[in-house]
Amino acid sequence: MKVHEFQAKQLLQEYGVPVPNGRVAQSPAEAEAIARELGVPVAVKAQIHAGGRGKAGGIRLASSPEEARDAAAQILGRRLVTHQTGPEGRLVRSVLVEEAVRPARELYLAVVVENALGLPVMMASDAGGVDIEEVAAATPERIHRLPVDPAIGFQPFMGRELGLAIGLGGELLRQGVQAMAGLYRLFVEKDCSLAEINPLVVTEDGRLLAADAKVNFDDNALFRHPEVQALRDPHEEDPLEVQAQQMGINNYVRLTGNIGCVVNGAGLAMATMDAIKLAGGDPANFLDIGTVNNVERVVNSFRILTSDEQVRAILINIFGGMARVDVIAEGVVRAFQEMDVRVPVVVRLAGTNVEAGERILAESGLPVVRAKDLGEAAQKAVAAARGEL
Amino acid sequence: MPILVNRETKVVVQGITGREGSFQTRRCIEYGTKVVAGVTPGRGGEEMDGVPVFDTVRQAVASTGADCSLIFVPAAAAADAILEAAYAEVPLIVCITEGIPVVDMVRVKRYLRGSGIRLIGPNCPGVITPGQCRVGIMPGDVFSPGPVGVISRSGTLVYEAVAQLTSRGIGQSTCVGVGGDPVIGTAPVEVLRLFNEDPDTKAVVLIGEIGGTAEQEAAAYMASEMTKPVIAFIAGATAPPGRRMGHAGAIIVGEAATAQAKKEALARAGAVIVDSPADIGAATERVLRERGLL
């Protein structure tokens, strides 16, 4: 789960990482009032869940409260298109108005779990303010990494080593160690999947400030963080994905093609998309129906796919393990009873209780197209989407 | 002697009285697995289908000599369950549970390091040695004994690949679902090593997916050590970057996490790359014939 920059900064502040003074505004008048209160100059920053805002015109400097109002008026209500939003862009509903910082230097700090080690890693670089992937590709020696043993947590000596490596000294080193310790504690205590400060600026007057921040959360741990769930902004998510989640379908990702997919298991769901593409088609979504044996969930999957206007055909590919094929088949029958399914449906069933599942579909007399294996299922779905079946 | 599990393996099921736990335990017993004990806190002294239920793993191990644990405990309590099995010194722990917080797995993995205890999973279908022992949730009837080892980050893709193999008369030595989470107990490369050293395995099917660098680690090992053919499929060639595709570990962050980068690394290390998931069986048969292994 992602949150906005202003929410990430509030969390950082709770954990003792200094951030610029600022508040969020929903209207130009509010932005003006905040600028007046903070003192100018201020930065007015579009709050959307995507990077690349500066280049897209979503971040403006204002040297008077009136300029802050005008900047907010230009950004709010606009669809901001960045390299991360796709061509449709994202509607800006709020702006962060904060004191403009004058950076003498721009640094980088982040905590992520490195899968291969199975440990959180503190990353630090003196090449802040740019995409860290670019730094990693061009000058990997400028990224310093230290794995943290969860048994002892982040220790001050680790902060000193990393701080010195990115050129901090004296009072700034002390501040840097404190920022790293806070960032690590935030990562662990709030179950983050990423806690990143980019840039961490050294101001002209010798302070460290998190000028921009990105905090993502581990979806698996949201159950124990109602306070994090409360930060969710449904406006930032695809409406069909939000609807799917409300129906208990957590693993639905909308894509741009026209073949709707209902599959059990994440790997098979990805592989089904790959097979469709190789057969000349284009998947409309990723959907892992999961292993909960629940007829209603199958019906709800149909509900989501049939309300996606792009979808020209539906492919159901089930290889039962923990999921039972007969339950899925019952769900398909029920879906046809409860809604008007106007697109062709291709079904491939295999695995646990497949005989019972086959029988249920056969006895239903539904106009579904049967496929004996994955290859045939993909080919038939592609043909069906073209109206050739 | 097959890797990880065989007909002598004595299994304790943690979460045996739960809905999935009981259903899958029955399937394991039908398959021939020696399920010697179950654990459900507060239900000690009961029986499930003749299997004695204990309050703790330590009690279960003391009474039955169980040497493998199969875990069906819900995500919020699963890390505790794994650690309980580890404290009771169960040498092989297979955790099926999906949705365990990563931070929990970081602590578990740290505790297990250097202990000699092997964890498979979590978020996996388990391990099966066809014809001998099923410790997991896979549909037993698609598997058949034979010379091909199977490693997969995805559960249902194990079934898909194995069904293709079995329908061509190609059996499997052991199939291991390593799990779809970012932090897992046993990486694909470690299973690759076990298969490389296993005299009963002639070839390996490796099923990877987008996210992380597990396939690159496998490729590095292959390039220097692997003496057996590897047939590889990587799921997610069509997945968009930055989106989590069901598995918590299946997200493209950075170039190395893409299907293309993984395929290239494995191909350079000598693996036969299969682009379509529908062709895994055919490609494996071709490789086995070419090398005179069939």
Side-chain angles (χ1 to χ4, degrees):
Chain A
M1 183 190 132
K2 296 178 178 176
V3 295
H4 289 295
E5 176 197 2
F6 77 92
Q7 295 166 318
K9 284 178 166 172
Q10 279 167 2
L11 285 165
L12 285 172
Q13 199 163 23
E14 279 175 38
Y15 282 86
V17 182
V19 301
N21 288 318
R23 286 214 328 265
V24 74
Q26 265 90 32
S27 72
E30 231 182 313
E32 181 183 349
I34 295 168
R36 187 156 282 132
E37 183 190 313
L38 291 176
V40 289
V42 292
V44 179
K45 307 173 82 176
Q47 297 298 291
I48 56 169
H49 288 186
R53 294 169 300 165
K55 280 186 190 141
I59 298 178
R60 308 201 178 202
L61 281 174
S63 49
S64 69
E66 293 74 25
E67 271 186 49
R69 181 195 60 210
D70 293 346
Q74 282 166 12
I75 298 173
L76 285 166
R78 180 177 146 197
R79 294 197 81 88
L80 201 61
V81 179
T82 83
H83 69 283
Q84 289 184 359
T85 59
E88 70 285 3
R90 286 279 170 76
L91 183 64
V92 183
R93 294 165 189 274
S94 59
V95 290
L96 173 62
V97 183
E98 66 179 18
E99 57 166 321
V101 289
R102 288 199 192 80
R105 277 150 69 197
E106 295 191 311
L107 311 173
Y108 175 93
L109 284 184
V111 184
V112 290
V113 167
E114 188 164 313
N115 299 357
L117 293 174
L119 292 174
V121 173
M122 179 72 68
M123 295 169 62
S125 175
D126 63 354
V130 290
D131 189 343
I132 197 66
E133 288 276 344
E134 288 170 22
V135 181
T139 51
E141 70 283 359
R142 291 180 73 180
I143 300 177
H144 306 273
R145 306 160 55 263
L146 209 56
V148 182
D149 186 331
I152 56 170
F154 191 80
Q155 296 293 313
F157 81 85
M158 299 172 177
R160 292 194 295 274
E161 281 185 17
L162 286 170
L164 288 167
I166 60 171
L168 295 176
E171 168 56 21
L172 278 173
L173 179 59
R174 194 195 61 76
Q175 288 180 35
V177 172
Q178 190 190 334
M180 284 184 247
L183 193 65
Y184 180 81
R185 226 158 44 78
L186 165 66
F187 184 91
V188 172
E189 289 181 12
K190 297 290 185 190
D191 280 292
C192 299
S193 55
L194 170 71
E196 181 185 68
I197 303 173
N198 189 22
L200 175 73
V201 303
V202 179
T203 62
E204 285 174 352
D205 56 355
R207 291 180 297 153
L208 267 188
L209 281 179
D212 198 357
K214 186 167 157 187
V215 177
N216 296 345
F217 298 91
D218 177 3
D219 293 336
N220 285 350
L222 289 176
F223 72 89
R224 60 188 177 199
H225 294 291
E227 80 289 3
V228 171
Q229 287 182 52
L231 302 178
R232 171 165 255 147
D233 181 354
H235 294 304
E236 288 291 327
E237 294 164 31
D238 183 287
L240 271 182
E241 292 183 12
V242 173
Q243 202 187 333
Q245 268 168 17
Q246 285 162 353
M247 292 175 170
I249 301 164
N250 296 320
N251 294 318
Y252 168 76
V253 177
R254 198 174 181 194
L255 304 168
T256 53
N258 62 9
I259 299 174
C261 308
V262 179
V263 188
N264 70 315
L268 189 61
M270 278 189 276
T272 303
M273 286 162 45
D274 297 345
I276 288 171
K277 197 87 171 183
L278 285 166
D282 221 351
N285 64 279
F286 166 94
L287 195 162
D288 169 12
I289 198 164
T291 46
V292 173
N293 288 297
N294 179 331
V295 171
E296 196 56 32
R297 192 172 290 186
V298 182
V299 177
N300 284 337
S301 300
F302 265 81
R303 213 161 257 141
I304 296 294
L305 294 195
T306 52
S307 47
D308 182 344
E309 287 165 5
Q310 301 178 103
V311 170
R312 294 278 170 273
I314 292 176
L315 169 55
I316 298 173
N317 183 23
I318 302 295
F319 209 127
M322 206 147 166
R324 308 211 259 286
V325 171
D326 53 330
V327 178
I328 307 281
E330 266 179 53
V332 173
V333 173
R334 182 94 69 79
F336 271 87
Q337 288 165 353
E338 290 187 16
M339 67 199 82
D340 186 13
V341 181
R342 293 182 183 172
V343 295
V345 176
V346 179
V347 183
R348 182 272 181 129
L349 300 175
T352 306
N353 291 4
V354 64
E355 297 81 9
E358 296 283 359
R359 201 165 49 240
I360 290 166
L361 275 194
E363 285 169 2
S364 74
L366 289 176
V368 297
V369 179
R370 310 304 310 279
K372 65 178 191 315
D373 59 35
L374 174 55
E376 189 184 274
Q379 279 159 10
K380 285 188 168 172
V382 172
R386 288 181 182 148
E388 295 169 359
L389 201 74
Chain B
M1 192 71 153
I3 70 164
L4 299 173
V5 300
N6 57 51
R7 56 173 61 86
E8 306 303 326
T9 303
K10 288 187 276 186
V11 178
V12 51
V13 178
Q14 291 176 255
I16 193 170
T17 55
R19 196 180 50 183
E20 294 303 337
S22 54
F23 178 85
Q24 294 295 344
T25 299
R26 289 185 187 108
R27 290 286 170 113
C28 287
I29 293 169
E30 283 163 21
Y31 197 79
T33 308
K34 274 192 186 168
V35 178
V36 297
V39 171
T40 297
R43 305 278 293 266
E46 297 181 15
E47 279 196 355
M48 197 213 75
D49 290 15
V51 177
V53 178
F54 298 87
D55 285 314
T56 70
V57 178
R58 205 185 289 280
Q59 290 167 0
V61 170
S63 317
T64 65
D67 55 12
C68 171
S69 170
L70 173 59
I71 298 180
F72 288 103
V73 173
D80 180 52
I82 298 170
L83 290 170
E84 181 181 357
Y87 258 76
E89 294 176 11
V90 178
L92 177 65
I93 303 168
V94 179
C95 184
I96 305 303
T97 309
E98 178 179 358
I100 303 178
V102 173
V103 162
D104 291 4
M105 281 311 302
V106 163
R107 293 194 189 100
V108 167
K109 196 170 166 72
R110 173 66 186 89
Y111 176 74
L112 294 180
R113 185 167 302 145
S115 67
I117 291 167
R118 183 178 290 290
L119 169 67
I120 302 287
N123 192 9
C124 80
V127 183
I128 185 168
T129 293
Q132 298 196 28
C133 181
R134 168 194 189 267
V135 183
I137 59 171
M138 53 291 273
D141 53 2
V142 301
F143 294 81
S144 56
V148 176
V150 178
I151 307 169
S152 174
R153 286 171 67 187
S154 149
T156 41
L157 271 180
V158 174
Y159 321 155
E160 179 65 50
V162 166
Q164 293 178 26
L165 293 173
T166 294
S167 74
R168 289 166 184 274
I170 302 169
Q172 306 87 42
S173 54
T174 300
C175 302
V176 185
V178 296
D181 278 355
V183 177
I184 52 176
T186 300
V189 63
E190 297 171 63
V191 185
L192 202 55
R193 183 188 304 274
L194 295 176
F195 279 136
N196 200 24
E197 292 164 0
D198 170 33
D200 296 336
T201 299
K202 307 290 182 221
V204 178
V205 170
L206 173 64
I207 301 168
E209 63 189 32
I210 55 164
T213 54
E215 293 77 7
Q216 282 87 345
E217 291 148 30
Y221 169 78
M222 276 181 61
S224 59
E225 310 266 337
M226 197 74 192
T227 59
K228 302 173 184 180
V230 175
I231 299 93
F233 169 75
I234 308 294
T238 52
R243 297 300 309 269
R244 168 172 137 158
M245 305 305 279
H247 284 158
I251 178 166
I252 298 175
V253 182
E255 192 48 38
T258 62
Q260 191 55 33
K262 292 165 185 291
K263 287 180 185 179
E264 283 168 11
L266 287 164
R268 273 198 304 275
V272 174
I273 306 298
V274 185
D275 285 318
S276 168
D279 295 339
I280 298 170
T284 306
E285 182 174 359
R286 196 171 60 242
V287 169
L288 289 175
R289 287 200 190 288
E290 280 168 11
R291 318 246 172 148
L293 297 169
L294 204 65

